[in-house]
Every structure is written in C-alpha cells, then in structure tokens.
Amino acid sequence: MSDVSNNGGAAKPKPSKLNPNVVPMPEQDAKVRAGNFDEVPTGYTMEMAQEEASRCLQCKNEPCRPGCPVEVPIKDFIGLLRDGDPIAAANKIKETNNLPAICGRVCPQEEQCQAPCVVGKKGDPVSIGALERFVADYQRDHGDHDAAIELPESTGKKVAIIGAGPAGLTAAADLAMIGHSVTVYEALHAPGGVLAYGIPRFRLPQAVVDSEVEMIKKLGVNIEYNAVIGKLFTIDELVDELGFDACFIGTGAGLPAFANIPGENLNGVYSANELLTRVNLMKAYQFPEFDTPIKPHNKVVVLGAGNTAMDCARTSLRLGAEVTLVYRRSEAEMTARIDELHHAKEEGVDFQLLTNPVEVIGEDGWVKAVKVQKMELGEPDDSGRRRPVPIPDSEYEIEADAFVVAIGTSVNPLVPNSTKNLDLNKWGYILADPSTGATSKPGVYAGGDIVTGAATVITAMGAGKDAAVAINRYLGGPEPEVAEPEEEVGTA
Ligand code: FAD
Ligand code: SF4
Ligand code: SF4
C-alpha cells in the first residue's frame, strides 16, 4: 500500500458528528477558512482513501450504480483503489464520467449513488464521492491525466453544442470519442457554465475545472468562446449555413428570479448570479489584480434556502461581511445539501428562519435595511411542504447594506425563441424526450437545466450522455464498443 497523499499527508481528523462511521476528510478550520477562498475540505491521503474504500462490500448486484445518473462503475473503481491502483480506478470512472474530480466534490451523493449503498442501511454509506474525488485528483497530481486518451477515426459528421456547461461538455466529449467533429459555442469567455460562474472556488477550485475541461479539449473538442447563439448565429443558421449535421442545446437556466418586493431596484441589491459571477468568474475577490471590482459590504442579508443561497452567504462572509440568511420556512424544508448548511453555520452565518423579507429599505439610493416578517407553518401546500403563513404585526428590520436574492432562476429565452419549430413548455423550457433529448425539431437535441429547470451537475451530465447516444444514432455513426462483463468477485 502506497502512502502518497493528495493532501500533503494531513493527520486524520476526528470522526464527523454528521457521519460518524465514515473516514473523515480533513478540512480547514472554520474561523480560518471564513477569511479565504481556498477549498474547505483538503482531501484524503492514500491511507485514508484506502481505509474508506475497505468499507465497501463489493456487492454483486451493485445497488449504488443505478443511483448515479451516468452509472459510474462504482464497485470496480473502489475495488481498484482498495487494491492500491488509484490511477486504474480513475480510468475506470472515466469510462462513463469525464468530470470525476468535479462530481466527487459537488454531486449530492447522499441523494444519488450513496442513497442505495447497502452499508448505509446500518450506518453511514461508503463515501463514494470522496473516493471519486481522491482518485481523480491523484491521477491529475501524478501526471497520468492523458493515459486513457485514444482518438478515434473521424466520421466526417459535424455536431454543434450550445453551452459549455456540464450537459454540453459531456455531450461534446462523448460525441468526440466516437469520432464526430464537435464545436461548442459558449456565450461566456470561459468554459464550465455554473461550474465556472456559480459554484465558488472554496467548493470547487478553478484548477479542478480547468484540468477536466482541458481533458475534454484533448479529445478534439473545439470551444468557441464569446459566441452567443441566437445573436451570432441561430440554430437554423448553424445547420443551414454552417453545415452542422446535428445540434445539442445545453444553455442552462441562468435567468435570475427576484422576490418582487418594494426596494429591489436599490443599489446594493444583487441577484445570486451577479454576486457569484463577479466573484467566481471575474475574480473580483482578487481586485485590483483582476479588473472587476465588488463593493465591500458590512452587513449582507441573503434570501434563500438552497445551495446557491449558501454559496452567496459564504462568499459574502469571505468578502468580510456579517451575513444573515433569511428563509420563510424552517430548516427541515431547506433544499441545500446538509454539508453546505453545516459549513455555513460553522463559519458564522446567522440563520433567521421562518422569516420573510417584505421590503428593502433605502437611503440615498442605497440599501439601508431589510424589513422582514415572522412566519409560522400552516397546512401542506401543493408541493407537500407546510405552507408559511405570516404572523400579523411581527415585522422588524435587519440592518444591511446589501441584499442578495438567491431564490432560483428561470430559462433565458434567447435560444428557445430564436429557433424555428422548437416546442417549449408553458415556462419556456425546451420540450425534449427524457431518454434521448430529442426535441420537436429533427436533428436538434437538448438537455440539462434548459429542459428540466434548475437541477444538478450530474443530472445535466446524464442528459448530455443520453443525447450523445441518440445524436450518434441519428447521424448513423458507429455504435460504441460494449465492454465484456468482468467476472464477479463480490458476494454481498
Ligand atoms: P449550465 O451549467 O448553466 O451551463 C450552460 C452554459 O450555456 C453556460 O456556460 C452559459 O454561458 C451557456 N449559454 C447560455 N446561453 C447561451 C447562448 N445563447 N449561446 C451560447 N452559450 C450559452 N449542482 C450540483 O450538483 N451540486 C452543487 O453543489 C450545485 N451548486 C450550485 C450552486 C449554484 C450557485 C448554482 C447556480 C447551481 C448549482 N448547482 C449544483 C446546479 C448545477 O450547477 C446545474 O444544474 C448545472 O450546472 C446545469 O448544467 P447545464 O449544462 O444544463 O447548464
Ligand atoms: Fe456519485 Fe456523482 Fe460519482 Fe455518480 S458521478 S458516482 S452520483 S459522485
Ligand atoms: Fe456499492 Fe455495495 Fe460498495 Fe455500497 S457497499 S458502494 S452498494 S458496492
């Protein structure tokens, strides 16, 4: 067994209160990390990873695998790691997942691959995500990142991908690996979609995104940046004038939603996307080294209950503000991952739950306070969650010089509305077959948040994968080789 670590040989921390059976991953102390943008968990050592891998029972029927939208061969990669070969383990994952270091960090594993894990029936499931992260980082850090690349013969077919988020990048990689010529058109100056502009660097370091995108480019995928489809070309022009044989639309759902309360036009009110894009993509936290500034705020109120709200609250803390998070229901109804909630509390975010903003109060055009009202939970509504009901005469003000609205997003209408004969649902999302991504327009496929609404990185990747299979069939391309089934070693 090697003792090479990907976190510099850190000592094993105490078991976590949240997951007492799991080998804990070392992380920065809460007080220290609240003042920097470095990644919070610092990663397993080889020894820790192998110890955690040894909790896997190598189940014959592998119930964890269907829990993963891209069906990572979980049992096999963990077996290879346990046997001391993390590079073979990383290559095994890459048979179905081109972004393992990203997924190992941001997938909601507790609801996906780890939910059906049999070890979890009597304790905590195997930390599949942490192990995936470990082997992917190990391969990157040990210079074996290109080992699995073998470029296929060209099919002569051209595919345009719109959007370089997880859906588009996955479809692009899978189509390039079959031999199709793939061009990705991306509106921004950098790839990754939400991975680049939304998820903060303390959860997903830039180097991890860059390195996994670099791998996709090495498959021959060409990415055109600053290319806004619907303005530069329409989908119809890509097909009729530029000669693309098929298109995949993966433009996400990035249009911010607001709370529609008085005072939202004041200076100091941000959508979550504006705050996060300034800080993550434009690197405002490194101003003046980078051009985009961000106004320092002393007291920030964040509205929301999901991962995006946690990201905004933790980002604002790191920019030096005191942060209050308000949400109209209780903690039980919050949609953020439990780890994110826990990290935000540890770092000092003040949670005021059952509290709803009713007005942003200003002075000289700038935010001065947020007026909120206390709520209580009534009968369940259509979503099955108990309805928040305002408590009369319970309003009060929270002093603030910034208000960040993190209550979700909707579809950007540019591509849907500029494409002829593309059927949409009543909210403007593209109607696509859930198993192939086929739209109402022959040769045009779609997947990810532009079809489902805001979801997860791995569901967007799963949609990109399914669409790549369907696009290849549409183009009459070669069927990818199916690996011979391996001999079963497990007994559980
Ligand atoms: P996106 O990631 O949105 O990518 C779409 C891309 O298309 C973007 O790069 C955009 O610039 C480009 N584009 C848009 N319009 C055009 C156009 N007209 N022409 C060319 N390009 C265009 N999910 C998780 O699983 N775990 C998490 O921890 C998590 N945290 C999140 C935190 C935040 C702050 C946010 C906002 C989301 C988070 N999500 C998380 C959700 C997840 O990131 C998304 O579900 C996922 O990124 C969707 O992938 P996508 O490829 O469909 O779209
Ligand atoms: Fe689990 Fe995500 Fe890895 Fe799939 S890609 S095995 S859901 S961590
Ligand atoms: Fe999958 Fe079984 Fe291992 Fe859990 S114990 S990760 S279900 S093979």
Side-chain angles (χ1 to χ4, degrees):
M1 181 195 289
S2 157
D3 65 353
V4 180
S5 86
N6 68 348
N7 96 343
K12 191 166 135 185
K14 287 190 193 130
S16 137
K17 283 184 194 145
L18 289 177
N19 315 99
N21 310 117
V22 166
V23 175
M25 189 181 287
E27 59 184 32
Q28 286 193 69
D29 176 76
K31 285 206 184 79
V32 175
R33 70 184 192 237
N36 69 51
F37 279 83
D38 297 340
E39 192 171 16
V40 171
T42 51
Y44 279 152
T45 61
M46 179 74 167
E47 198 183 7
M48 292 170 192
Q50 286 190 302
E51 189 184 338
E52 180 60 20
S54 70
R55 297 178 63 235
C56 171
L57 303 176
Q58 294 286 293
C59 314
K60 215 170 191 173
N61 57 353
E62 213 180 351
C64 47
R65 190 169 179 175
C68 168
V70 300
E71 300 217 10
V72 163
I74 295 170
K75 177 185 83 170
D76 293 347
F77 103 74
I78 295 182
L80 288 163
L81 169 61
R82 207 178 53 174
D83 295 345
D85 197 346
I87 290 190
N91 286 335
K92 180 54 77 181
I93 297 172
K94 285 184 180 165
E95 287 177 6
T96 71
N97 182 351
N98 288 299
L99 306 173
I102 293 171
C103 292
R105 287 170 164 85
V106 305
C107 273
Q109 294 108 11
E110 60 283 1
E111 293 164 17
Q112 291 175 323
C113 53
Q114 291 175 196
C117 172
V118 294
V119 177
K121 288 189 181 149
K122 284 193 187 156
D124 296 312
V126 176
S127 280
I128 299 167
L131 296 177
E132 183 165 327
R133 167 194 163 140
F134 172 79
V135 297
D137 285 358
Y138 186 100
Q139 187 178 45
R140 188 190 60 239
D141 296 346
H142 290 77
D144 186 44
H145 215 26
D146 308 287
I149 297 184
E150 209 178 296
L151 292 183
E153 262 181 51
S154 167
T155 61
K157 300 285 184 188
K158 283 171 61 177
V159 184
I161 307 278
I162 324 304
L169 289 174
T170 302
D174 283 12
L175 288 161
M177 282 196 287
I178 300 170
H180 301 303
S181 162
V182 180
T183 302
V184 180
Y185 291 95
E186 168 53 51
L188 298 172
H189 63 274
V194 173
L195 305 174
Y197 75 75
I199 301 179
R201 301 288 73 98
F202 54 84
R203 284 213 289 131
L204 182 59
Q206 185 69 47
V208 173
V209 179
D210 289 348
S211 124
E212 298 209 323
V213 172
E214 208 43 48
M215 282 293 294
I216 290 174
K217 288 203 226 157
K218 283 186 181 155
L219 297 171
V221 171
N222 169 38
I223 308 184
E224 298 284 341
Y225 297 109
N226 305 308
V228 182
I229 298 305
K231 292 274 184 208
L232 183 65
F233 306 110
T234 62
I235 298 275
D236 296 283
E237 285 167 346
L238 288 173
V239 175
D240 298 339
E241 293 173 25
L242 276 77
F244 283 98
D245 299 292
C247 296
F248 173 79
I249 306 173
T251 46
L255 199 68
F258 281 92
N260 293 324
I261 55 175
E264 270 187 312
N265 57 347
L266 288 163
N267 292 311
V269 176
Y270 298 81
S271 70
N273 272 8
E274 183 188 345
L275 176 79
L276 294 172
T277 302
R278 276 178 180 269
V279 178
N280 297 327
L281 188 68
M282 311 306 287
K283 308 223 170 1
Y285 66 96
Q286 291 179 47
F287 180 79
E289 201 184 317
F290 286 81
D291 288 341
T292 301
I294 189 147
K295 189 175 174 352
H297 294 290
N298 295 319
K299 291 177 188 283
V300 176
V301 172
V302 175
L303 167 63
N307 287 325
T308 307
M310 297 308 132
D311 286 343
C312 291
R314 297 173 70 200
T315 295
S316 301
L317 267 184
R318 283 160 172 77
L319 292 170
E322 277 175 35
V323 181
T324 304
L325 184 137
V326 296
Y327 173 49
R328 63 196 181 132
R329 300 182 202 248
S330 72
E331 185 166 325
E333 288 83 23
M334 294 183 88
T335 53
R337 289 184 70 189
I338 188 131
D339 278 0
E340 303 308 325
L341 197 62
H342 173 70
H343 278 143
K345 281 184 186 170
E346 271 188 343
E347 289 166 11
V349 174
D350 173 30
F351 283 72
Q352 298 199 15
L353 304 181
L354 291 166
T355 302
N356 199 34
V358 290
E359 183 182 352
V360 189
I361 297 169
E363 189 175 75
D364 301 329
W366 289 87
V367 175
K368 183 175 158 248
V370 179
K371 187 193 267 190
V372 295
Q373 181 170 33
K374 291 306 291 177
M375 313 290 280
E376 59 190 353
L377 292 181
E379 293 303 309
D381 61 15
D382 293 345
S383 71
R385 297 180 305 173
R386 291 178 64 195
R387 188 191 301 273
V389 181
I391 301 176
D393 303 324
S394 64
E395 290 94 344
Y396 64 101
E397 288 180 14
I398 304 174
E399 193 191 332
D401 54 1
F403 178 56
V404 183
V405 186
I407 53 172
T409 50
S410 58
V411 65
N412 182 323
L414 190 54
V415 171
N417 289 356
S418 63
T419 309
K420 289 182 204 146
N421 305 322
L422 192 63
D423 286 353
L424 312 177
N425 71 14
K426 64 177 174 180
W427 298 283
Y429 291 95
I430 297 174
L431 284 171
D433 183 304
S435 52
T436 63
T439 68
S440 53
K441 199 173 168 72
V444 176
Y445 294 74
D449 286 4
I450 185 68
V451 170
T452 56
T456 65
V457 170
I458 194 66
T459 47
M461 288 176 66
K465 250 187 151 34
D466 291 342
V469 172
I471 291 171
N472 181 48
R473 291 212 173 115
Y474 172 79
L475 296 176
E479 288 293 323
E481 280 172 33
V482 180
E484 288 291 315
E486 284 167 26
E487 218 170 286
E488 296 289 1
V489 290
T491 51

